[in-house]
Amino acid sequence: MTSTLDLPTQCDTDDTTATSSPDTDLNTSDLDGAAPADAAPDGDTSSTDVKESPLDELSDEDRAALHARWDAEIDTIVRADPHTVLLAENVRTADAEADEDTTANFKTHGVKTAVNGYRDYDTGAIVVTEGQRRVLNAREAGCTVPVWMKTPPPADERKATIERIVNQFIENDPALRRSLTLSDTARALQQLAAFNLKPAGIARKLALGRQGKTYVENVLRAGQSELALKASERYDLDLLQAAVIAEFDEAGDTDTAKELILTARTAPNNFAQLAERKRTERADKQRLAALTEDLTEEMTAAGVTIFEQSLPDDGDARSLDRLRPTPEDEPRTELSAENHASCPGHGAWIETDHHDEQGNQIPVAVYGCADFLAHGHALSYAPAGRADFTPVPTSTGTSVDDESSEDEQADEVAVARAAHAAAELERQKARIIRKWVIQNNKDWDASAAPRRKWLVGLLQRKTAPQGAQLFLALQKAHGGYALRRAFERNHPLAMTLLYLPDGATLADLTSKVAKAPTAGKATLYDLFLTLCAIEADLSRNSWRSPWDSAQAYMAAIIGWGYPASDVERKVIDPETEQEVIAAQLGDLAADPTIDGGTTAEGDESGGAEIDDPTAVVDDVDDAGADEQTGAQTDHADGDAADGTGPEAVEQDTAAEAELIGAAI
């Protein structure tokens, strides 16, 4: 006989008796009544605490018959009222209480797995040694609990205690338990869905609780993607991560799906923000493609040549902002698109990394010349009378005057080169800062949805987190602008996150808060309203130049368990433009003429890498290989204030995601 029998549901409406033992002269219910549930507190109750029992009034013959009946119970299943059984001391102290989801499941299905227990022959009470949580949840659910009856422990207290601890440890040892894999779970739910059961119906059938419908939806979504299922099992991803990966894989965006897998492994705090950003980018990409097509048609109709290659930094083709009309014009003389329109080399590149005043990405035409030397133009900073920085050759026979002329020419070229190098360096810096701002703005925008979802989840707790009262007192004492504005506007963000209907008033919000069942819940509402006020005041500027209230807010929610992404942690420890430039250009940021900087011809060499540094997973095929090479972010996920959170890792997502895909 095993302890995992398929037992029929036994709820408080059943007529089943307390045990399955044969009839005796002494009613079983009388014995259970001798050891009521309140005889001693749960967790430290033992049969030795009971001093008096109806058994004391029995004759020796009746007592022997009763003991014989109990002997026959050993290795059988006895159904017992959970309120009458006693709980032995248990090694589990954390989470040793009933929970809503399990209780709801027991109300629907009863207790499917028998607990282990024995009969105390002195009192007749059933003592449960393994399965205290099942008993506690059965009490809440009003169901009987099946008890697999064991031989009573030895009389030697030392041996009995050792035996109890060992058995309880084995009972709770996760190494001995194997949950269903996500693939198995998905297949099971897909089979149920094939019978036209909706996610809500499946959740009800399985008694999955309040979040059951969402759970079923996520499992079914993850089950549609082989990539998500394999990644989940190989890299131990959670269900929500698998569902998000499946979302992109099923949409045909496998590259993003692989990038998300990599992020889940190396920087999980960035996962939700990355997924949200990719969703936004997917919509923006469609909008940008339409705008680019319109601009292309407009320029083609105007007779403007569109250069297919990307905007170059060197070579014969140059953008007009780097040219002057002719070598005879003064250095840095402007060459406008209007004046250049008649040039045979006139054309434009279409850049798509520009943004309008609202921060929306837009295409922009950058005008240039296909071959500035062939068409008589000059580099903007080239010496007067010259098209570039190439020295003018002298005659073979040199005189003192010729040597003096060469020296003057060299000095002139050197000065022009230095000016050109400085201008190019400023361009690089501007490009780096623009890329930095654009990327972090996108990440910041994407972080709002996961952060606000976490705020909603915070309100589901029963009590406020540790330190909340001090945080609230400080915010109220300061009385910052964000709080005042929320009061004046009747907490619009809080109303939205509380799912109050459109047109809801302050009275509706007040009514909801007034229904707080406990003081702890009321404090949670206070905290929620305060956090929402500060959250509503955050902007794209928060990651660059945060207010004190924003820093206190971010530090607080991180301390309370929010897995902040890298860009959100910048609120606490902002980067400066100087730090970003130095990280990209190194010594070149201070001296543009050093090796690896601008060459004599004014062209950027390969020594200065402008793009973000990368980190490479050495061996993705090894599930445990997390060694990283290359540069990491300036500060880890855990900020200097609290040191919490996983270490942030910058990623060459294209290369690494390809490795991920190959491994899976």
Side-chain angles (χ1 to χ4, degrees):
M1 183 176 292
T2 68
S3 62
T4 55
L5 300 179
D6 188 9
L7 301 170
T9 302
Q10 297 293 324
C11 297
D12 52 3
T13 57
D14 290 351
D15 294 327
T16 308
T17 57
T19 73
S20 60
S21 305
D23 294 336
T24 62
D25 293 337
L26 187 61
N27 192 306
T28 304
S29 60
D30 293 337
L31 295 177
D32 291 336
D38 57 358
D42 291 343
D44 57 0
T45 305
S46 67
S47 58
T48 57
D49 295 334
V50 181
K51 297 180 179 180
E52 297 181 0
S53 167
L55 271 66
D56 296 335
E57 302 175 1
L58 298 178
S59 65
D60 291 342
E61 183 178 341
D62 289 339
R63 188 179 295 108
L66 191 57
H67 286 183
R69 195 194 82 178
W70 291 340
D71 287 340
E73 289 179 341
I74 295 175
D75 212 22
T76 66
I77 298 294
V78 170
R79 298 192 182 282
D81 181 345
H83 293 284
T84 63
V85 302
L86 303 178
L87 292 172
E89 187 176 356
N90 203 294
V91 296
R92 178 195 287 274
T93 57
D95 300 322
E97 58 187 14
D99 65 275
E100 292 182 7
D101 290 341
T102 305
T103 296
N105 188 291
F106 284 5
K107 284 182 178 179
T108 303
H109 300 291
V111 184
K112 289 292 187 180
T113 304
V115 302
N116 291 341
Y118 66 89
R119 181 77 71 172
D120 186 329
Y121 279 39
D122 292 330
T123 66
I126 294 177
V127 182
V128 173
T129 54
E130 295 110 56
Q132 64 171 336
R133 291 191 71 254
R134 275 166 281 172
V135 171
L136 294 173
N137 279 287
R139 288 175 180 174
E140 294 293 326
C143 300
T144 60
V145 60
V147 185
W148 188 5
M149 302 300 291
K150 303 291 186 176
T151 303
D156 187 313
E157 184 176 351
R158 177 177 177 275
K159 289 182 179 180
T161 301
I162 291 174
E163 181 180 290
R164 174 185 59 78
I165 293 173
V166 168
N167 288 337
Q168 289 174 347
F169 181 84
I170 293 173
E171 170 82 6
N172 293 285
D173 186 3
L176 302 178
R177 296 172 177 266
R178 291 292 184 270
S179 301
L180 286 176
T181 65
L182 179 57
S183 295
D184 289 338
T185 303
R187 279 192 291 270
L189 297 190
Q190 285 167 351
Q191 291 173 31
L192 291 174
F195 288 101
N196 293 324
L197 287 177
K198 303 298 183 184
I202 294 174
R204 284 194 299 271
K205 290 285 185 183
L206 299 177
L208 295 177
R210 290 181 300 176
Q211 299 300 318
K213 178 176 178 288
T214 301
Y215 169 80
V216 173
E217 289 173 340
N218 285 335
V219 172
L220 292 175
R221 182 178 297 115
Q224 297 299 315
S225 168
E226 184 178 358
L227 176 65
L229 292 177
K230 287 184 177 181
S232 175
E233 294 175 8
R234 184 176 183 84
Y235 301 124
D236 195 27
L237 309 183
D238 64 37
L239 174 59
L240 183 57
Q241 290 171 335
V244 172
I245 291 166
E247 171 194 335
F248 286 92
D249 186 32
E250 287 300 293
D253 192 356
T254 305
D255 289 340
T256 294
K258 293 175 181 178
E259 184 179 350
L260 286 165
I261 294 171
L262 181 65
T263 301
R265 293 190 61 219
T266 58
N269 64 303
N270 290 332
F271 185 90
Q273 167 258 310
L274 174 62
E276 193 65 28
R277 177 164 64 82
K278 290 296 184 178
R279 293 186 187 103
T280 302
E281 287 179 356
R282 184 165 53 191
D284 285 346
K285 185 177 181 180
Q286 296 174 347
R287 180 188 55 79
L288 186 61
L291 292 176
T292 303
E293 183 178 354
D294 292 342
L295 179 59
T296 302
E297 292 177 355
E298 178 184 337
M299 294 174 65
T300 301
V304 178
T305 301
I306 299 176
F307 301 139
E308 294 183 359
Q309 70 273 25
S310 59
L311 182 65
D313 293 318
D314 53 22
D316 296 330
R318 294 295 176 92
S319 57
L320 297 185
D321 60 351
R322 299 182 179 189
L323 300 175
R324 67 177 189 263
T326 68
E328 287 69 33
D329 289 303
E330 288 294 324
R332 286 172 279 182
T333 300
E334 179 185 0
L335 177 56
S336 67
E338 291 78 8
N339 294 336
H340 189 260
S342 59
C343 175
H346 184 67
W349 295 271
I350 295 181
E351 289 187 342
T352 57
D353 61 346
H354 295 260
H355 293 74
D356 61 20
E357 294 179 355
Q358 289 72 40
N360 299 314
Q361 193 172 355
I362 57 173
V364 172
V366 178
Y367 290 90
C369 186
D371 190 337
F372 76 96
L373 290 173
H375 298 299
H377 307 305
L379 293 175
S380 183
Y381 285 88
R386 299 178 191 169
D388 57 15
F389 299 102
T390 305
V392 176
T394 60
S395 59
T396 304
T398 58
S399 63
V400 174
D401 290 340
D402 291 334
E403 291 178 358
S404 175
S405 176
E406 288 181 4
D407 290 342
E408 291 177 357
Q409 180 183 196
D411 291 342
E412 186 180 48
V413 170
V415 170
R417 256 185 211 158
H420 177 80
E424 288 300 304
L425 177 61
E426 290 307 311
R427 292 177 188 277
Q428 291 185 46
K429 290 180 178 179
R431 186 184 308 148
I432 289 169
I433 294 304
R434 184 175 71 169
K435 182 177 180 180
W436 173 65
V437 171
I438 290 172
Q439 184 63 45
N440 281 287
N441 278 347
K442 287 182 178 180
D443 289 342
W444 180 260
D445 291 345
S447 72
R451 190 170 58 250
R452 293 179 179 189
K453 183 178 180 181
W454 184 88
L455 288 177
V456 174
L458 177 68
L459 192 57
Q460 305 308 312
R461 301 184 186 182
K462 295 181 179 179
T463 57
Q466 186 175 4
Q469 288 82 1
L470 178 60
F471 174 83
L472 289 170
L474 291 173
Q475 292 301 315
K476 300 297 170 53
H478 183 261
Y481 170 74
L483 237 59
R484 295 197 304 273
R485 187 171 70 164
F487 290 149
E488 292 167 357
R489 299 186 179 185
N490 297 337
H491 304 277
L493 179 59
M495 286 193 177
T496 299
L497 298 185
L498 286 171
Y499 303 107
L500 293 178
D502 293 340
T505 65
L506 183 61
D508 298 314
L509 176 63
T510 303
S511 175
K512 189 173 185 67
V513 173
K515 294 177 182 177
T518 63
K521 193 68 173 181
T523 302
L524 260 179
Y525 273 118
D526 187 8
L527 180 63
F528 178 75
L529 293 172
T530 303
L531 294 177
C532 284
I534 302 174
E535 168 67 29
D537 191 51
L538 299 179
S539 68
R540 276 185 166 184
N541 199 46
S542 297
W543 65 268
R544 297 180 69 183
S545 304
W547 297 100
D548 291 342
S549 59
Q551 291 185 313
Y553 166 78
M554 196 61 66
I557 64 175
I558 289 174
W560 296 328
Y562 175 63
S565 60
D566 292 349
V567 72
E568 291 169 299
R569 291 180 182 273
K570 294 181 192 294
V571 174
I572 299 175
D573 185 18
E575 290 177 303
T576 66
E577 292 186 1
Q578 292 74 20
E579 291 172 339
V580 174
I581 292 170
Q584 294 285 327
L585 298 180
D587 294 337
L588 180 60
D591 185 359
T593 62
I594 63 175
D595 291 341
T598 305
T599 64
E601 289 73 27
D603 301 332
E604 296 170 14
S605 74
E609 186 66 44
I610 297 177
D611 291 336
D612 291 338
T614 62
V616 179
V617 178
D618 292 333
D619 183 8
V620 179
D621 198 41
D622 179 0
D626 288 326
E627 295 295 326
Q628 302 289 332
T629 62
Q632 292 183 341
T633 50
D634 291 341
H635 55 275
D637 252 357
D639 57 84
D642 61 9
T644 59
E647 186 176 2
V649 180
E650 289 196 25
Q651 309 167 118
D652 181 348
T653 53
E656 295 181 23
E658 187 64 31
L659 291 175
I660 287 280
I664 295 176

